[in-house]
Amino acid sequence: MSFLHAKDTISGQSAKAYATINGQVEEMFYAKKFEAKVKKNKKEIKTLGKLGTQNKANGFTGTGTMTIYYVTSAFRNLMLNYTKNGIDNYFDIQVVNNDPSSSVGNQTTVIKNVNLDELTVASFDVESEALEEEVSFTFDDWDMTTQFTKPQ
């Protein structure tokens, strides 16, 4: 009988993330939390002889959020370029989950054509020990270049 050993779970602190913006790769060491989700777009289909409404997938929507420490101007510069010049930027984020203590290996996911929705322009909080900001985004493609294996 197989079961999951605790050592094979993936530590969130073992991840790495990289943003490729205008051809420049930036290690996202300032990221605290990252989540990208895909949701199927579905259309309702009604047919003769069936009372229930059926659904047919016809695309997807990619959305995400990241919580980062307030220590980089990289994303603010992208938004500034858009608000001042009307030039919108799209970039890729690569996430590598690799916990060396786990037997499942690593998983590398590339989130493509990331486009920022909103971000913090300026911030302070006199009671905060470390300023953070939430950044929301959309994307329109993704790949999984390496995958976890089964636990050993």
Side-chain angles (χ1 to χ4, degrees):
M1 177 177 187
S2 297
F3 59 92
L4 180 66
H5 295 280
K7 70 177 183 69
D8 288 326
T9 60
I10 303 299
S11 169
Q13 290 180 308
S14 297
K16 290 187 186 284
Y18 306 90
T20 303
I21 303 170
N22 297 323
Q24 300 287 345
V25 177
E26 177 170 339
E27 186 171 0
M28 296 174 57
F29 56 83
Y30 45 77
K32 180 178 176 185
K33 183 178 180 182
F34 181 89
E35 186 173 64
K37 293 184 176 188
V38 173
K39 181 178 181 181
K40 286 183 187 178
N41 299 332
K42 294 184 179 183
K43 295 291 180 187
E44 290 185 353
I45 307 293
K46 295 181 181 186
T47 59
L48 292 176
K50 183 159 179 79
L51 293 177
T53 300
Q54 300 176 60
N55 291 281
K56 180 174 181 166
N58 68 341
F60 72 92
T61 301
T63 60
T65 57
M66 57 183 152
T67 304
I68 61 176
Y69 290 108
Y70 189 75
V71 297
T72 180
S73 298
F75 300 123
R76 269 181 286 289
N77 280 327
L78 294 177
M79 193 63 84
L80 184 63
N81 194 26
Y82 176 70
T83 59
K84 295 294 184 185
N85 304 313
I87 299 170
D88 207 359
N89 288 88
Y90 295 82
F91 57 95
D92 297 345
I93 295 177
Q94 178 181 16
V95 176
V96 180
N97 295 105
N98 185 13
D99 184 342
S101 67
S102 175
S103 71
V104 300
N106 67 67
Q107 177 175 280
T108 302
T109 309
V110 181
I111 312 303
K112 298 180 176 184
N113 301 317
V114 173
N115 186 255
L116 302 177
D117 293 336
E118 71 176 321
L119 59 82
T120 303
V121 174
S123 177
F124 73 83
D125 180 348
V126 297
E127 295 187 11
S128 175
E129 293 181 14
L131 289 177
E132 299 176 357
E133 61 182 304
E134 254 329 278
V135 179
S136 62
F137 59 89
T138 58
F139 63 95
D140 63 22
D141 198 8
W142 67 285
D143 278 319
M144 193 164 44
T145 58
T146 61
Q147 301 179 26
F148 294 128
T149 60
K150 291 185 179 182
Q152 297 176 6

